Amino acid sequence: MSERRQSLYFFLIAVWVLAVGIGLRDAWPADEPRFVLVAKQMLESGDWLFPHRGHELYPDKPPLYFWLLAASQSVVGSWRWSFLLPSLVAGLVSLWLTFDLGRRLHGHRAGLWAAAAVLCTLQFVYQFKRAQIDPTLVMFTTLALYGLCRHLLLGPNWRAFWLGCFAAGLGVIAKGVGFLPLLILLPFAAMRWRRWSGLADPGTGSAWRWSVGALAFFAAIALWFAPMLILATRGGDPEHAAYLQNILFKQTATRYAEAWHHRQPVWYFLEIIALFWLPFSLAFPWLARHWRAAWRERDARVWLPLSWALLVVVFFSLSPGKRDMYILPALPAFTLAAAPWLTEVSTRVGFRRVLLAFAALLSVLLLGIGASAWFGQPKFATTLIAERGLGAEVVWLWRMLAAVGVVGLAAVAFWRTAGALQATALLLIAVWTGYGLVAHPVLDASSSSRELMRQARAIAGPDRVVGLVAWKEQNLLQAIGPVEEFGFSRSEPDQLARGIAWLQADPAQRRLLVQQSPALPCLDGSLARPVAVANRRQWLMLSADVLPTGCQPPATPIK
């Protein structure tokens, strides 16, 4: 098969795996509804510099990803069909950049293996089928790595270097850690000093060219930061000034050094690589020998991307706050460092046996979960149904899991050890196809809160205003008809007190949709009308004639 046809087939498979299921669901927690809501409010308000979540400013993240979401909706015209498009594009671009850089460094086959290793990784596909910032961040960090390596390993290529620096700046205004690709200059300097092989001569005497790279980096950041800074410091709005202070310090240095959530031990990312990077991580024992040899040979084409990937892991490991997707930008670099030997590793009988065992175990697990829930009532299934408010449609989820398990076991039995790669590939394609075509529509009504907000509107009536108390972003995003909210960051008792005062100001035309929460012990569920269970939460509808006692409204009524 020609190289061109191999590439075509690979990217057709990639498009299917990453795109299947788009349009079959709305935004799901934890992050998706928040980001889509912020982008939606940007489109409606025209305020592109200061993101909002409801009435409040949202200073947790820079706005570039929200701009991409809003642009996708503007082109497509439907949030349901557009909100996953930035992640899809980011995934395909990241794969192409990995392939092309691997091709230039080690040949066409090695580049294709590097991209395939990224695509087969469970965490990569899962994250790139979600509307989160991290896929876009990975696209920009991979583009930055691509440009920098084109210059440092294959150069001199100053235009590629400047592109890489500009991409790192765009990464910063997508997520603050977008500067990480520039850390590759540290191992590059050390390797130049130690005279490693494989490095290009980038023209160290051309100081002005290096300075242009710094200008490109800051120019990309300035696309948002400069106008935002001017308005925040000269506009006279104290909320904008507080936003500037928050995003510059609390959401960057403080969040890194003194994280207030997602605290994990220092070895946390080793577990993530071992489990979430399956099945690519299965190749590490065979790759270790080659990486040691490349170190002894001082091969910069292997160890420059690998050293940067290790720096990324160390950087995030030093912060007490960790989430599994933080090290995802390092994945393409790991596969590029593995690219010269992936063909050879794939032929090893030992590796194929381990890979086949992985495919068999995953198939058995999926078949066992699906069959036990389909034909019985195990605790995990009844818990899921109760927490998610699912109905009879959940049977399709169990059938899908069982069917994927059967496909996987049939592939394992047919190809056996010699065809372990084909069996695993077919299983993974089946997993993501079932996830997109079945899990998306089955879980969507509850996970997105679409059905909850439909029922809330049906109970409240078409014209009444529904006030949201202890709300989540998906409630406001999926709201039908007029709604009011009392601040997202306020405590739940404060929201309820303000909501009661608001309700009493016009009891005939207002209702409260309240999450039943331990923080609201004054709520008597027997007095309120149950609405639905969604996202593991029970929601109640309150009217003025069934207000709970003990929840005191503020002294000044909310108009």
Side-chain angles (χ1 to χ4, degrees):
M1 186 184 298
S2 68
E3 293 180 348
R4 185 172 183 178
R5 182 165 295 184
Q6 289 175 354
S7 303
L8 176 62
Y9 287 161
F10 170 76
F11 281 100
L12 286 176
I13 293 172
V15 169
W16 173 260
V17 167
L18 295 175
V20 62
I22 289 180
L24 297 181
R25 71 172 178 92
D26 293 297
W28 290 357
D31 298 323
E32 291 181 350
R34 180 185 316 128
F35 298 152
V36 176
L37 177 64
V38 170
K40 181 173 181 285
Q41 291 190 247
M42 278 185 167
L43 274 175
E44 293 171 349
S45 68
D47 186 352
W48 300 96
L49 299 178
F50 296 94
H52 281 76
R53 174 173 50 191
H55 297 320
E56 299 174 350
L57 284 168
Y58 178 67
D60 290 26
K61 297 291 185 293
L64 178 57
Y65 178 64
F66 311 138
W67 295 349
L68 296 178
L69 283 173
S72 298
Q73 199 279 343
S74 298
V75 171
V76 176
S78 163
W79 284 112
R80 189 179 180 93
W81 283 94
S82 67
F83 79 99
L84 289 172
L85 291 183
S87 294
L88 171 62
V89 172
L92 295 175
V93 170
S94 299
L95 290 172
W96 185 86
L97 292 169
T98 303
F99 158 70
D100 191 61
L101 184 56
R103 177 183 66 84
R104 293 173 185 274
L105 287 171
H106 307 294
H108 179 273
R109 189 172 182 82
L112 203 57
W113 269 105
V118 173
L119 184 63
C120 81
T121 301
L122 296 176
Q123 188 189 33
F124 177 83
V125 180
Y126 177 74
Q127 291 297 336
F128 279 74
K129 291 178 76 67
R130 295 184 59 79
Q132 295 183 325
I133 295 176
D134 297 275
T136 297
L137 173 68
V138 171
M139 177 181 69
F140 286 125
T141 56
T142 306
L143 178 58
L145 183 71
Y146 176 88
L148 294 172
C149 287
R150 287 282 304 271
H151 179 59
L152 302 177
L153 295 175
L154 299 166
N157 189 332
W158 288 105
R159 289 183 180 179
F161 175 72
W162 299 332
L163 172 64
C165 293
F166 188 78
L170 292 178
V172 169
I173 60 174
K175 201 171 184 178
V177 295
F179 70 90
L180 285 173
L182 299 182
L183 295 182
I184 201 173
L185 296 175
L186 298 177
F188 170 75
M191 290 175 183
R192 286 277 296 175
W193 179 58
R194 300 292 295 178
R195 299 182 182 277
W196 280 50
S197 65
L199 293 174
D201 181 4
T204 53
S206 304
W208 70 270
R209 290 190 173 95
W210 293 100
S211 300
V212 172
L215 290 175
F217 173 70
F218 289 111
I221 298 174
L223 292 174
W224 161 70
F225 189 76
M228 184 276 294
L229 180 64
I230 293 172
L231 284 178
T233 55
R234 298 183 182 180
D237 189 330
E239 288 190 351
H240 289 172
Y243 171 91
L244 177 63
Q245 181 78 10
N246 195 320
I247 200 166
L248 281 183
F249 299 104
K250 181 179 179 181
Q251 301 298 333
T252 52
T254 302
R255 193 185 189 105
Y256 178 82
E258 302 175 11
W260 53 91
H261 54 16
H262 304 300
R263 298 178 72 90
Q264 300 289 348
V266 69
W267 60 83
Y268 172 73
F269 289 119
L270 297 180
E271 300 173 358
I272 296 303
I273 291 173
L275 296 176
F276 286 27
W277 286 16
L278 286 169
F280 170 58
S281 58
L282 296 176
F284 280 23
W286 285 269
L287 292 169
R289 175 174 62 87
H290 295 292
W291 285 340
R292 287 194 299 268
W295 176 269
R296 290 193 297 268
E297 295 167 5
R298 296 186 177 185
D299 187 349
R301 293 196 175 195
V302 173
W303 269 95
L304 187 62
L306 183 57
S307 60
W308 177 78
L310 294 172
L311 277 176
V312 171
V313 175
V314 170
F315 175 85
F316 286 114
S317 296
L318 294 177
S319 173
K322 303 174 181 69
R323 295 182 69 185
D324 59 270
M325 72 280 290
Y326 285 178
I327 60 167
L328 197 55
L331 175 61
F334 272 109
T335 67
L336 285 167
W341 304 287
L342 286 175
T343 300
E344 185 262 338
V345 169
S346 71
T347 64
R348 293 294 187 96
V349 174
F351 172 73
R352 292 195 176 195
R353 286 173 178 169
V354 172
L355 188 63
L356 194 71
F358 161 77
L361 287 173
L362 180 57
S363 299
V364 169
L365 178 64
L366 294 174
L367 176 58
I369 292 174
S372 63
W374 185 1
F375 298 109
Q377 291 184 327
K379 184 177 179 180
F380 75 84
T382 56
T383 300
L384 177 69
I385 292 169
E387 290 182 345
R388 294 289 178 176
L390 299 172
E393 73 280 359
V394 74
V395 70
W396 290 104
L397 182 62
W398 312 137
R399 291 171 177 171
M400 180 273 291
L401 293 175
V404 172
V406 169
V407 168
L409 289 176
V412 166
F414 178 78
W415 273 299
R416 294 181 284 185
T417 302
L421 275 74
Q422 294 93 318
T424 304
L426 180 61
L427 171 61
L428 293 177
I429 292 172
V431 166
W432 297 121
T433 300
Y435 177 72
L437 295 182
V438 180
H440 277 190
V442 168
L443 300 176
D444 181 58
S446 172
S447 295
S448 68
S449 289
R450 174 167 48 84
E451 182 62 19
L452 165 68
M453 300 312 293
R454 187 194 67 79
Q455 293 187 38
R457 176 51 58 192
I459 293 172
D463 300 320
R464 290 192 180 99
V465 183
V466 175
L468 305 177
V469 173
W471 57 285
K472 300 299 180 183
E473 292 92 347
Q474 58 266 28
N475 304 128
L476 187 56
L477 179 64
Q478 295 289 346
I480 302 171
V483 294
E484 182 57 86
E485 46 96 356
F486 311 100
F488 185 88
S489 301
R490 295 183 184 274
S491 68
E492 293 178 358
D494 188 18
Q495 289 186 48
L496 180 59
R498 290 171 174 269
I500 290 174
W502 171 82
L503 177 62
Q504 290 174 330
D506 190 359
Q509 294 300 316
R510 295 175 179 177
R511 295 291 184 269
L512 285 181
L513 179 65
V514 185
Q515 178 195 156
Q516 196 167 32
S517 167
L520 302 175
C522 59
L523 262 185
D524 184 352
S526 63
L527 295 177
R529 180 170 179 177
V531 179
V533 173
N535 306 116
R536 300 184 296 275
R537 301 177 179 93
Q538 174 69 58
W539 294 86
L540 308 171
M541 185 73 76
L542 294 180
S543 57
D545 57 341
V546 293
L547 287 177
T549 58
C551 299
Q552 298 300 321
T556 303
I558 307 296
K559 300 292 187 181

